[in-house]
Structure formats: structure tokens, C-alpha cells
Amino acid sequence: MAKSGRTSRNLVRMPEPNQLDVTAFVEQQAIALDLPIADYQAGVTANFERIRSIAQAFLEFPLPTDLVAAPRFEP
């Protein structure tokens, strides 16, 4: 990986969920997407904190290394 923190495909690497500064992430995304969320930023940040804690449970769930995804979903 290059010293700039970018991968060989020129993509920015996301930090691990437990290392993410949610407040900074929300601020940066609002700027990048030109979203005027100043009045709602505290609520948006709180919701992203909740999302991160929910996602962490899924990310920590162990999966077998030989798992193969089904080619088609059939309920």
C-alpha cells in the first residue's frame, strides 16, 4: 500500500469500525455530499453510532472459511 493511505486501486481505505471517529465521518460526508445537516448533526452522529454498534456484532460473527454463497436466493 502506498504511503498516502490509498490502495493500489486509488481507493481510500476505511478504518476498522472500532477505530472510526463517527463525528468526523459524518462531518466529512456532509461536506462531500453537500448536505446541510448542521441542525441535525447530533442526531445523525448518534444514529451512525448505533449503526456501528449493530454492524460490529455482524462483523465479529465467525464464518467458516469454506463457506460458499448460494448462487440464487430462494425463500
Side-chain angles (χ1 to χ4, degrees):
M1 179 170 35
K3 290 183 181 180
S4 68
R6 296 181 181 266
T7 64
S8 61
R9 289 183 155 177
N10 235 9
L11 301 174
V12 176
R13 225 174 175 196
M14 290 295 296
E16 293 296 319
N18 59 350
Q19 298 173 343
L20 178 67
D21 179 353
V22 176
T23 302
F25 176 77
V26 169
E27 289 172 358
Q28 292 166 358
Q29 295 306 307
I31 292 167
L33 298 170
D34 196 25
L35 294 174
I37 65 166
D39 295 340
Y40 311 104
Q41 188 165 344
V44 172
T45 300
N47 282 325
F48 268 92
E49 286 285 358
R50 287 184 198 101
I51 292 167
R52 178 173 69 170
S53 67
I54 293 167
Q56 190 65 36
F58 287 94
L59 294 172
E60 291 174 352
F61 187 81
L63 293 175
T65 56
D66 60 344
L67 184 68
V68 177
R72 190 169 101 187
F73 174 74
E74 294 182 25

